[in-house]
Amino acid sequence: MDLVPALEEPLKKVLGPATAKVMAEHLGLHTVGDLLHHYPRRYEERGQLTHLADLPMDEHVTVVAQVADARLHTFASAKAPRGKGQRLEVTITDGSGRLQLVFFGAGVHKPHKELLPGTRAMFAGKVSVFNRRVQLAHPAYELLRGDAEETVETWAGALIPIYPATAKLESWKIGKALQTVLPSAQEAVDPLPESLRAGRGLVGLPEALLKIHRPHTKADVEDARARLKWDEAFVLQVALARRRHADAQLPAVARRPKPDGLLTAFDDRLPFTLTEGQRKVSAEIFTDLATEHPMHRLLQGEVGSGKTMVALRAMLAVVDAGGQAAMLAPTEVLAQQHHRSVTEMMGELAEGGMLGGAETATKVVLLTGSMGAAARRHALLDLATGEAGLVIGTHALIEDKVKFHDLGLVVVDEQHRFGVEQRDALRGKGKQPPHLLVMTATPIPRTVAMTVFGDLETSVLDQLPAGRSPIASHVVPAADKPHFLARAWERVREEVEGGHQAYVVCPRIGDEEDDPKKAGRKKSPEDEAERRPPLAVLDIAEQLAAGPLRGLRVEVLHGRMQPDDKDAVMRRFAAGEVDVLVATTVIEVGVNVPNATAMVIMDADRFGVSQLHQLRGRVGRGSAPGLCLLVTEMPEASPARQRLTAVASTLDGFELSRIDLEQRREGDVLGQAQSGTRSSLRMLAVIDDEEIIAEAREEAAAIVAADPELTGLPGLRTALEALLDEEREQYLEKG
């Protein structure tokens, strides 16, 4: 974060090329400053042992524990046919649980000598399951001898920092590298304005870095954390506040609907009344549209809460006011579906310029990448002349060729699939910046909304329209209770016999090429213990059609099918010509088949909480109740099972998004890859630090209002440049 010569020093110079290469490739750390901001995940006390009872599967962990027992076994194998193979099994304990370590072959000699019962050490490795027992295979370890002067010194007093590590670089090696660069912390330039720091009693940045890496007491850790959290929250909120400030300076055309225009005609023909929530959110949007600065609003709503209706009314208001409105959908299937539902809802109001069209009517055009040349030309002409008031499309709308007559409003569906550059490209198509409405069906806790969508005002639709049915969800433990899975397929049959339809969702398609690199490798014992690959659509569809669902009309849908084929399958399913659709998550967004009442999600533990919630929202969309079965082979005590139980126990998306956040690292929520890259937030926990984020937002807004260019705060400007330079993609991509 700090562009200071000492902190800009490449790690290669300080630590040598080999260590620097591993740090760059596996942890994304390139400079001394990067390493100083690689904070410990937690601390171990010499006298305390860690919790072996709740180790996460398939993750690299570091534990401090005591050897309870070590046994050397010999066995016969292909390599050692005379029973000369050796396996060392070491059991370690920490008071909360026991864990087995295994070493094979030549790797047994050193640990056999060193890991004697009673020895204490730090162990690091990947948690796997073999023969239903949790183990670490070939872990790296560092003995903890309290007597040697050097060890005590290196481990910084009584608290041992445990760093986020990788297989190639254990926590204690990162700790040693940090001891080397720690003196440079004195050079760190403080991004916080002095008044803010003093007012909140926060320690200086050099002191915070020293205390986070070499704390003598728990109070040191608290001081450092409090300070470093403020840095992250504040610098990010300043970036967002500057973006809001810049947007507020832009001019826009105020769009006020005509009293007896298209919107009134549309409302008059609605067969139902809007919910209280829809009316309230519409009022907020219309107020924004009537101002001469562009609206930037995020519309959050549960699956099925009627967001599309609210967006459509906003679009019609803009057409009434003489402008055009564009809706951007993430996939062709969804764009076509929005187009169908909008034209159905509007009826003759969507037939502008056609015989039988109402006199206030406008044209609604669809624009996607796979359209034929003639249809495309026609659509482009309607947009350029202003004949079409509404356009619904995919990324194809962003292309250079697309010209609008007068673009007044852009509605982006499923925000997390569009980056800020794409939004800006579409914005640039208006004579003046158009108003912007972003819709998301993934419920976002307030703090995440402030962090991720910090440049947008937020509206929430939290009531479901009348007539939506409840969805019952159950976990099906296929490994513990196979008869439960058999019963699940019976339930699917019962739904179909009752005149309904069902989805079966799988994590994978199943026609992927096997990676030749992987195929050629010999499997180590750890690989053998790895879990099987995720279940695939093509395999499961075949098994079901030949087995438990024999005689039913089973079809498949996945992302690698041709757009026309996908659309044809969806149309047949919507028309009731398919009983069971076996699909990947392509059905996650926006597919609306009210007659589908059951969903079976295979390997449900491989999906995230909010993704499961999204998928489940596809059933129970009509008057019949919905059923969602979450099939998993994970054992009952595993975190994955607890996550599924949480999903089954509540239909409240906001509650689930909190659970999701608490279980995953924030970095994932902020659009990061699952692992391997650093989380954009290293210290701030979005859920726990709600107050800090809210206060940082206020402070940032005040500072930016007083000094938008931050001329009086060079340290803050430096930190901001570093943040935007290094992490513009991660953060503002979401904004």
Side-chain angles (χ1 to χ4, degrees):
M1 254 191 205
D2 316 276
L3 298 183
V4 178
L7 301 196
E8 275 182 9
E9 189 85 46
L11 288 173
K12 201 159 40 184
K13 279 192 181 167
V14 189
L15 304 175
T19 308
K21 185 169 185 250
V22 176
M23 286 197 169
E25 284 176 6
H26 294 273
L27 296 168
L29 307 175
H30 303 277
T31 64
V32 168
D34 289 345
L35 182 53
L36 286 172
H37 287 291
H38 186 71
Y39 308 132
R41 182 173 281 169
R42 55 191 170 81
Y43 300 86
E44 286 302 342
E45 289 178 72
R46 274 268 157 63
Q48 270 189 347
L49 296 164
T50 86
H51 286 289
L52 293 181
D54 46 4
L55 289 177
M57 289 307 304
D58 290 342
E59 277 197 31
H60 282 281
V61 296
T62 302
V63 295
V64 174
Q66 192 160 354
V67 176
D69 173 46
R71 294 177 186 200
L72 192 62
H73 301 273
T74 53
F75 60 90
S77 71
K79 279 189 184 164
R82 294 202 190 86
K84 294 280 175 59
Q86 289 193 311
R87 181 173 79 246
L88 176 65
E89 289 181 2
V90 178
T91 306
I92 58 172
T93 177
D94 68 348
S96 77
R98 295 166 88 80
L99 177 66
Q100 192 164 43
L101 316 176
V102 284
F103 300 88
F104 292 93
V108 304
H109 305 308
K110 186 166 174 274
H112 191 216
K113 281 210 297 276
E114 295 183 334
L115 297 179
L116 304 170
T119 309
R120 306 218 16 212
M122 294 172 83
F123 301 92
K126 189 175 184 183
V127 183
S128 58
V129 172
F130 188 68
N131 283 342
R132 296 206 157 211
R133 291 175 71 182
V134 178
Q135 66 169 27
L136 297 183
H138 284 284
Y141 62 89
E142 174 98 340
L143 301 178
L144 290 177
R145 301 186 185 90
D147 48 6
E149 194 51 43
E150 188 267 340
T151 323
V152 176
E153 194 45 48
T154 312
W155 295 119
L159 292 173
I160 304 170
I162 304 287
Y163 289 94
T166 74
K168 297 270 193 305
L169 199 65
E170 294 88 12
S171 169
W172 51 86
K173 289 185 182 160
I174 296 171
K176 285 176 179 167
L178 266 151
Q179 297 306 326
T180 312
V181 302
L182 210 48
S184 308
Q186 294 306 329
E187 315 263 330
V189 169
D190 207 317
L192 293 190
E194 180 54 39
S195 57
L196 189 155
R197 197 163 68 74
R200 296 189 175 272
L202 298 168
V203 301
L205 183 56
E207 187 185 339
L209 290 171
L210 216 57
K211 284 183 166 176
I212 200 79
H213 293 298
R214 294 198 66 166
H216 293 296
T217 62
K218 288 182 178 170
D220 284 352
V221 177
E222 289 312 307
D223 284 353
R225 281 192 169 147
R227 162 60 216 244
L228 295 166
K229 282 179 177 182
W230 254 96
D231 274 19
E232 282 179 18
F234 181 69
V235 175
L236 174 58
Q237 290 301 339
V238 168
L240 293 165
R242 289 187 70 189
R243 194 176 162 90
R244 282 198 303 276
H245 184 269
D247 284 343
Q249 309 309 307
L250 296 170
V253 179
R255 310 279 179 176
R256 296 182 185 85
K258 288 197 292 253
D260 287 318
L262 185 55
L263 180 61
T264 311
F266 175 74
D267 283 349
D268 289 347
R269 52 170 305 181
L270 279 181
F272 52 81
T273 52
L274 298 174
T275 65
E276 182 61 35
Q278 285 174 319
R279 279 204 293 274
K280 180 175 133 292
V281 171
S282 289
E284 292 171 351
I285 292 171
F286 290 156
T287 305
D288 285 357
L289 289 175
T291 61
E292 299 193 343
H293 295 293
M295 163 172 85
H296 293 108
R297 192 167 278 282
L298 172 70
L299 172 55
Q300 295 190 53
E302 284 283 7
V303 175
S305 58
K307 291 185 301 296
T308 313
M309 172 60 69
V310 170
L312 177 56
R313 293 184 72 241
M315 291 166 82
L316 296 176
V318 168
V319 175
D320 257 353
Q324 290 169 294
M327 182 185 270
L328 203 53
T331 64
E332 295 217 349
V333 169
L334 193 54
Q336 287 158 342
Q337 185 161 329
H338 274 319
H339 183 254
R340 268 201 299 278
S341 61
V342 164
T343 45
E344 277 165 23
M345 283 196 274
M346 287 176 65
E348 72 270 14
L349 297 176
E351 296 169 356
M354 290 186 249
L355 219 57
E359 102 191 51
T360 48
T362 185
K363 236 187 203 177
V364 182
V365 300
L366 176 68
L367 193 63
T368 63
S370 65
M371 282 168 76
R376 191 179 169 78
R377 234 187 350 263
H378 207 96
L380 289 173
L381 189 64
D382 283 344
L383 287 182
T385 59
E387 185 91 359
L390 301 184
V391 58
I392 295 166
T394 52
H395 290 76
L397 280 177
I398 299 170
E399 290 171 12
D400 291 345
K401 292 192 199 77
V402 181
K403 298 274 185 289
F404 288 87
H405 178 63
D406 178 14
L407 181 60
L409 170 67
V410 175
V411 177
V412 180
D413 190 10
E414 283 308 315
Q415 159 67 8
H416 56 283
R417 295 166 193 242
F418 284 103
V420 79
E421 294 82 8
Q422 293 158 315
R423 257 174 40 188
D424 285 346
L426 194 55
R427 268 188 199 163
K429 297 201 175 286
K431 294 192 177 77
Q432 285 193 329
H435 298 281
L436 175 73
L437 180 64
V438 169
M439 301 197 294
T440 175
T442 310
I444 305 165
R446 174 173 154 262
T447 42
V448 184
M450 277 195 291
T451 312
V452 184
F453 301 105
D455 61 334
L456 301 175
E457 298 299 323
T458 306
S459 295
V460 178
L461 274 178
D462 45 14
Q463 288 170 289
L464 287 188
R468 288 300 301 265
S469 304
I471 304 169
S473 306
H474 304 283
V475 177
V476 177
D480 315 350
K481 300 178 178 163
H483 59 285
F484 275 38
L485 184 57
R487 175 72 189 115
W489 300 126
E490 284 171 22
R491 282 292 290 114
V492 169
R493 267 191 178 286
E494 287 163 16
E495 289 297 313
V496 173
E497 281 158 13
H500 297 298
Q501 292 159 280
Y503 297 99
V504 176
V505 182
C506 303
R508 209 162 55 96
I509 296 174
D511 59 357
E512 295 86 349
E513 291 293 312
D514 281 335
D515 185 341
K517 284 194 203 127
K518 286 184 185 164
R521 276 201 328 231
K522 285 205 177 68
K523 286 200 170 171
S524 67
E526 300 99 289
D527 287 341
E528 296 290 356
E530 286 281 0
R531 297 191 290 156
R532 58 166 175 71
L535 294 171
V537 165
L538 300 175
D539 307 341
I540 291 287
E542 215 169 281
Q543 289 164 23
L544 291 177
L549 302 185
R550 195 185 299 109
L552 301 186
R553 297 168 298 177
V554 178
E555 291 210 24
V556 300
L557 180 71
H558 59 74
R560 272 211 293 276
M561 289 164 64
Q562 290 301 316
D564 292 354
D565 297 343
K566 268 194 286 202
D567 205 40
V569 171
M570 260 332 293
R571 261 207 283 264
R572 284 201 295 279
F573 188 63
E577 295 161 19
V578 174
D579 298 321
V580 179
L581 188 61
V582 183
T584 54
T585 52
V586 291
I587 62 154
E588 175 188 354
V589 179
V591 174
N592 187 15
V593 180
N595 192 42
T597 52
M599 176 177 285
V600 180
I601 302 179
M602 307 302 291
D603 277 346
D605 48 274
R606 314 250 177 167
F607 298 98
V609 169
S610 48
Q611 201 174 23
L612 290 169
H613 183 59
Q614 286 279 84
L615 285 165
R616 169 171 67 183
R618 301 292 122 221
V619 294
R621 298 176 78 85
S623 51
L627 172 69
C628 178
L629 301 174
L630 307 166
V631 179
T632 177
E633 292 189 356
M634 294 306 279
E636 195 162 357
S638 63
R641 264 289 273 285
Q642 289 158 11
R643 214 171 58 228
L644 295 180
T645 307
V647 173
S649 66
T650 176
L651 290 171
D652 178 343
F654 285 91
E655 176 56 28
L656 285 174
S657 67
R658 281 189 84 92
I659 293 169
D660 197 15
L661 256 180
E662 282 159 10
Q663 292 207 335
R664 297 194 295 160
R665 291 192 296 283
E666 260 74 24
D668 309 347
V669 180
L670 300 183
Q672 280 281 359
Q674 289 289 330
S675 61
T677 53
R678 281 172 306 155
S679 153
S680 7
L681 294 184
R682 299 176 184 77
M683 185 57 77
L684 202 64
V686 174
I687 286 282
D688 302 340
D689 299 322
E690 192 160 342
E691 279 173 32
I692 294 179
I693 293 170
E695 288 170 18
R697 183 179 165 114
E698 276 174 35
E699 294 269 11
I703 280 172
V704 170
D707 178 5
E709 293 306 309
L710 308 178
T711 38
L713 297 166
L716 177 56
R717 271 187 34 206
T718 303
L720 201 60
E721 280 159 21
L723 170 81
L724 294 183
D725 171 55
E726 175 192 5
E727 284 164 359
R728 170 176 270 128
E729 266 47 75
Q730 285 97 305
Y731 283 130
L732 294 186
E733 145 130 323
K734 310 294 283 183

